[in-house]
Amino acid sequence: MKVYCISGIAADKRAFKHIRLPEGFEIVFIDWIKPFKKESLSEYALRLAECINTREPFCMIGLSLGGIIASEIAVGCKPLATIIIGSVPVCSQLPPYYTWVRRLHVQKLVPGTLYKYAAIIKHYFTREPAEDKKDIIQMIRATEPSFIRWGIDAVLNWTNEQKPESLTHIHGTRDEVFPFKLTKPTHIISKGDHMLVISYPDEI
């Protein structure tokens, strides 16, 4: 059975390098595509889902923004299982301050390159092993600033409140992007940060 994997906003398939699935499951990585101008997150998810063979049973795994996209796809495409890691399945679990950022259009004032540099600097001080840290920084550097700006704006304007069926939600108690206290995960990793799939591979 195919398991379609979607990474986070400034990441690619390298984010899944520690994932090991049981025999009989095949990982298929879904690469990000260029969003259309003013395309909503829901519209983007529909286009990304075109590469999924929905005529046969499948599962999905999504990280961060990829988890939000996977949740959107799952509502319409009905995978056997949807697993989101360091993410949220519905907009009501987003931090309240996201609303103020959207209303003030702060995300439109900050250059995409600044988001990139901030993310890179942060990961010089996080707990990942040196090789993993190197991959994370390379993934961030390879991401187009325009895609980061679009992704942030799309999440801020996201309105979905329908949870997918057969949802598994793995979340860390120290997630700095989607605060744990606002989420309702099915599996909790104590002291886990946002990059659970890399920093806590054994637990994942």
Side-chain angles (χ1 to χ4, degrees), residues 90-101:
V90 288
C91 65
S92 58
Q93 293 183 21
L94 294 173
Y97 65 81
Y98 279 27
T99 301
W100 292 105
V101 172

Side-chain angles (χ1 to χ4, degrees), residues 141-201:
R141 284 177 172 161
T143 304
E144 288 290 334
S146 58
F147 181 74
I148 295 177
R149 287 193 67 183
W150 170 82
I152 292 172
D153 187 65
V155 171
L156 292 175
N157 288 281
W158 184 42
T159 59
N160 178 57
E161 277 292 3
Q162 186 176 353
K163 281 187 180 182
E165 300 174 5
S166 303
L167 174 68
T168 296
H169 179 180
I170 305 172
H171 214 86
T173 59
R174 292 182 178 175
D175 192 303
E176 68 277 14
V177 178
F178 302 113
F180 170 74
K181 65 181 181 180
L182 300 176
T183 63
K184 297 179 180 179
T186 57
H187 295 71
I188 299 169
I189 295 183
S190 179
K191 300 181 180 179
D193 55 16
H194 188 61
M195 293 295 292
L196 289 175
V197 73
I198 290 179
S199 54
Y200 287 81

Side-chain angles (χ1 to χ4, degrees), residues 7 11-19 63 139 195 197-198:
S7 69
D12 55 35
K13 65 182 181 182
R14 286 173 286 184
F16 296 95
K17 67 180 184 178
H18 295 304
I19 293 289
L63 314 177
M139 287 188 289
M195 293 295 292
V197 73
I198 290 179

Side-chain angles (χ1 to χ4, degrees), residues 58-60 70-71 74-75 78-84 163-169 186:
F58 70 97
C59 299
M60 298 194 72
S71 297
V75 169
K78 310 296 184 184
L80 291 183
T82 302
I83 302 169
I84 64 172
K163 281 187 180 182
E165 300 174 5
S166 303
L167 174 68
T168 296
H169 179 180
T186 57

